[in-house]
Amino acid sequence: MKPAGCPLLAAGFLIMNPYVSIIIPVLADAEAAAQLVGQIDRDDPVEVIVADGGADPMLDGLGTRPKVRLLRAPRGRARQMNAGAASATGDWLLFLHADSRLPADWIRYLRHVPLDAVGGWFRFALDDAAWQARVIERGVAWRVRLFGLPYGDQGLFVRRD
């Protein structure tokens, strides 16, 4: 029996079967959290942990959705993320701000992360057609390339181990 998350080689292709714990720290942003949770495909091998730092009753309905767990956590983004990580069961931990969105084929990207990588992030993009948004996106890309410092809005993922 192979350990969970172990890659398989099939027909010459490396196949990862990531089981992802998506950890969403939330404080007074129930609407954005609900939109993000609604975007996640139920067929993806994921669990969603909404780490609520404010005991917001508006989030109660999220915990009844399939694959979603509502976790009441101490206030503070780092504390909420740590509480979510401590209760996560996935091979990958994906930390995502509630007001962020995942790329349409995000799970495919995780399946192709090199075996020796310990983590990564997604590209930063804004939902705005203005030229100023492109300038901000380029600035963020430059910051990441030069300093290796992605923003939390980009979705940060790490291997559980």
Side-chain angles (χ1 to χ4, degrees), residues 19-20 29 36 42 53 78-79 82 100 102-104 108 125 128-129 142:
Y19 181 64
V20 183
D29 208 357
L36 176 57
R42 292 181 186 186
R79 288 184 182 119
N82 286 335
S100 297
L102 288 165
R108 183 177 62 85
D128 191 330
W142 177 82

Side-chain angles (χ1 to χ4, degrees), residues 2-51:
K2 72 174 191 66
C6 184
L8 300 173
L9 201 56
F13 296 100
L14 180 65
I15 299 173
M16 292 291 291
N17 186 19
Y19 181 64
V20 183
S21 295
I22 302 173
I23 301 161
I24 307 168
V26 179
L27 183 63
D29 208 357
E31 185 177 326
Q35 288 179 4
L36 176 57
V37 168
Q39 176 199 7
I40 297 165
D41 189 337
R42 292 181 186 186
D43 293 332
D44 287 338
V46 301
E47 71 175 343
V48 179
I49 301 168
V50 177

